Amino acid sequence: MLKYVNMEIKIKIDGEEFCCHGPTLSERELKLLQQRLSSTATEELADRFSAISHPSRMKIFSILSLVTEICVCDIAEILKLTPSAASQHLSKMRAANIVKTRRNAQTVYYSLTDSEINSCLKLLLFGPQDKSKERKEKGEREAV
Protein backbone atom coordinates (compact mmCIF):
# COMPACT_ATOMS: atom_id res chain seq x y z
CA MET A 1 0.00 0.00 0.00
CA LEU A 2 1.42 3.40 -1.03
CA LYS A 3 0.45 6.69 0.58
CA TYR A 4 1.88 9.94 -0.81
CA VAL A 5 2.52 12.80 1.63
CA ASN A 6 4.09 15.79 -0.16
CA MET A 7 7.29 14.34 -1.68
CA GLU A 8 7.38 11.51 0.82
CA ILE A 9 6.27 7.97 0.03
CA LYS A 10 5.16 5.85 2.95
CA ILE A 11 5.12 2.10 2.44
CA LYS A 12 3.62 -0.29 4.95
CA ILE A 13 4.99 -3.84 4.91
CA ASP A 14 3.82 -6.37 7.49
CA GLY A 15 2.64 -3.56 9.77
CA GLU A 16 5.98 -1.71 9.65
CA GLU A 17 6.10 1.69 7.94
CA PHE A 18 9.00 2.75 5.73
CA CYS A 19 9.59 6.18 4.16
CA CYS A 20 11.26 7.35 0.99
CA HIS A 21 12.14 11.06 0.81
CA GLY A 22 12.65 11.41 -2.90
CA PRO A 23 13.28 11.55 -5.62
CA THR A 24 16.97 10.96 -4.92
CA LEU A 25 18.01 11.00 -8.60
CA SER A 26 18.61 14.15 -10.60
CA GLU A 27 15.97 15.27 -13.08
CA ARG A 28 18.32 14.31 -15.93
CA GLU A 29 18.79 10.79 -14.51
CA LEU A 30 15.04 10.38 -14.05
CA LYS A 31 14.32 11.44 -17.65
CA LEU A 32 17.02 9.15 -19.02
CA LEU A 33 15.60 6.17 -17.14
CA GLN A 34 12.05 7.03 -18.21
CA GLN A 35 13.16 7.17 -21.87
CA ARG A 36 14.93 3.83 -21.66
CA LEU A 37 11.97 2.15 -20.00
CA SER A 38 9.49 3.52 -22.52
CA SER A 39 11.25 1.78 -25.41
CA THR A 40 9.44 -0.87 -27.39
CA ALA A 41 12.29 -3.29 -26.60
CA THR A 42 11.00 -3.60 -23.03
CA GLU A 43 7.50 -4.41 -24.27
CA GLU A 44 8.82 -6.92 -26.81
CA LEU A 45 10.86 -8.63 -24.11
CA ALA A 46 7.81 -8.83 -21.84
CA ASP A 47 5.78 -10.32 -24.72
CA ARG A 48 8.42 -12.98 -25.28
CA PHE A 49 8.61 -13.89 -21.62
CA SER A 50 4.82 -14.04 -21.53
CA ALA A 51 4.85 -16.34 -24.57
CA ILE A 52 6.98 -18.92 -22.77
CA SER A 53 5.56 -18.46 -19.29
CA HIS A 54 3.40 -21.59 -19.53
CA PRO A 55 5.09 -24.82 -18.34
CA SER A 56 4.31 -26.63 -21.62
CA ARG A 57 5.84 -23.80 -23.64
CA MET A 58 8.95 -23.88 -21.43
CA LYS A 59 9.20 -27.60 -22.13
CA ILE A 60 8.77 -26.97 -25.87
CA PHE A 61 11.53 -24.36 -25.70
CA SER A 62 13.75 -26.88 -23.91
CA ILE A 63 13.05 -29.53 -26.56
CA LEU A 64 13.82 -27.08 -29.36
CA SER A 65 17.05 -26.12 -27.59
CA LEU A 66 18.17 -29.73 -27.76
CA VAL A 67 17.19 -30.59 -31.35
CA THR A 68 17.65 -28.72 -34.62
CA GLU A 69 13.99 -28.93 -35.58
CA ILE A 70 10.97 -31.04 -34.77
CA CYS A 71 7.39 -31.47 -35.96
CA VAL A 72 4.32 -30.76 -33.84
CA CYS A 73 3.38 -34.46 -33.67
CA ASP A 74 6.71 -35.33 -32.05
CA ILE A 75 6.36 -32.49 -29.55
CA ALA A 76 2.84 -33.67 -28.72
CA GLU A 77 4.09 -37.22 -28.20
CA ILE A 78 7.00 -36.18 -25.99
CA LEU A 79 4.84 -33.94 -23.79
CA LYS A 80 1.76 -36.18 -23.86
CA LEU A 81 -0.35 -33.37 -25.35
CA THR A 82 -2.85 -33.46 -28.18
CA PRO A 83 -1.39 -32.23 -31.47
CA SER A 84 -3.94 -29.40 -31.30
CA ALA A 85 -2.73 -28.26 -27.86
CA ALA A 86 0.93 -28.45 -28.94
CA SER A 87 0.09 -26.49 -32.07
CA GLN A 88 -1.63 -23.76 -30.04
CA HIS A 89 1.41 -23.41 -27.80
CA LEU A 90 3.71 -23.22 -30.82
CA SER A 91 1.44 -20.61 -32.41
CA LYS A 92 1.88 -18.33 -29.38
CA MET A 93 5.62 -18.86 -29.47
CA ARG A 94 5.74 -18.12 -33.19
CA ALA A 95 3.76 -14.89 -32.72
CA ALA A 96 6.41 -13.80 -30.20
CA ASN A 97 9.21 -14.65 -32.66
CA ILE A 98 10.59 -17.42 -30.45
CA VAL A 99 10.12 -20.18 -33.03
CA LYS A 100 10.10 -20.31 -36.80
CA THR A 101 8.66 -22.89 -39.19
CA ARG A 102 9.73 -24.83 -42.25
CA ARG A 103 7.22 -26.74 -44.35
CA ASN A 104 8.07 -30.01 -46.08
CA ALA A 105 5.00 -31.28 -47.97
CA GLN A 106 2.30 -31.72 -45.30
CA THR A 107 4.68 -31.58 -42.34
CA VAL A 108 5.59 -28.35 -40.54
CA TYR A 109 8.88 -28.36 -38.66
CA TYR A 110 9.60 -25.95 -35.81
CA SER A 111 12.94 -24.57 -34.67
CA LEU A 112 14.14 -21.71 -32.50
CA THR A 113 14.77 -18.33 -34.07
CA ASP A 114 18.26 -16.89 -33.84
CA SER A 115 17.35 -14.19 -31.36
CA GLU A 116 19.26 -12.84 -28.39
CA ILE A 117 16.38 -13.61 -26.06
CA ASN A 118 16.55 -17.29 -27.03
CA SER A 119 20.26 -17.32 -26.19
CA CYS A 120 19.47 -15.76 -22.80
CA LEU A 121 16.70 -18.28 -22.14
CA LYS A 122 19.00 -21.18 -23.01
CA LEU A 123 21.54 -19.81 -20.56
CA LEU A 124 18.87 -19.58 -17.85
CA LEU A 125 17.61 -23.10 -18.53
CA PHE A 126 20.87 -24.96 -19.04
CA GLY A 127 23.59 -22.70 -17.62
CA PRO A 128 26.83 -21.91 -19.45
CA GLN A 129 27.67 -24.59 -21.96
CA ASP A 130 31.13 -26.08 -22.32
CA LYS A 131 31.85 -25.76 -26.06
CA SER A 132 34.39 -28.61 -26.06
CA LYS A 133 31.77 -30.93 -24.55
CA GLU A 134 29.26 -29.88 -27.24
CA ARG A 135 31.81 -30.57 -29.99
CA LYS A 136 32.59 -34.01 -28.56
CA GLU A 137 28.88 -34.85 -28.44
CA LYS A 138 28.57 -33.83 -32.09
CA GLY A 139 31.64 -35.88 -33.01
CA GLU A 140 33.80 -32.86 -33.86
CA ARG A 141 37.45 -32.67 -32.96
CA GLU A 142 38.87 -29.83 -30.89
CA ALA A 143 41.34 -27.49 -32.57
CA VAL A 144 44.87 -28.21 -31.34
Side-chain angles (χ1 to χ4, degrees), residues 81-99:
L81 298 172
T82 64
S84 175
S87 182
Q88 288 177 15
H89 287 303
L90 286 160
S91 177
K92 288 182 182 184
M93 294 172 75
R94 186 174 181 204
N97 197 32
I98 294 170
V99 299

Side-chain angles (χ1 to χ4, degrees), residues 60 64 67-75 90 94 99-113:
I60 291 170
L64 291 170
V67 299
T68 306
E69 63 180 13
I70 192 168
C71 73
V72 70
C73 295
D74 290 336
I75 290 172
L90 286 160
R94 186 174 181 204
V99 299
K100 59 186 177 182
T101 61
R102 179 183 69 83
R103 183 178 292 276
N104 184 6
Q106 295 295 318
T107 306
V108 178
Y109 292 93
Y110 289 85
S111 61
L112 294 176
T113 59

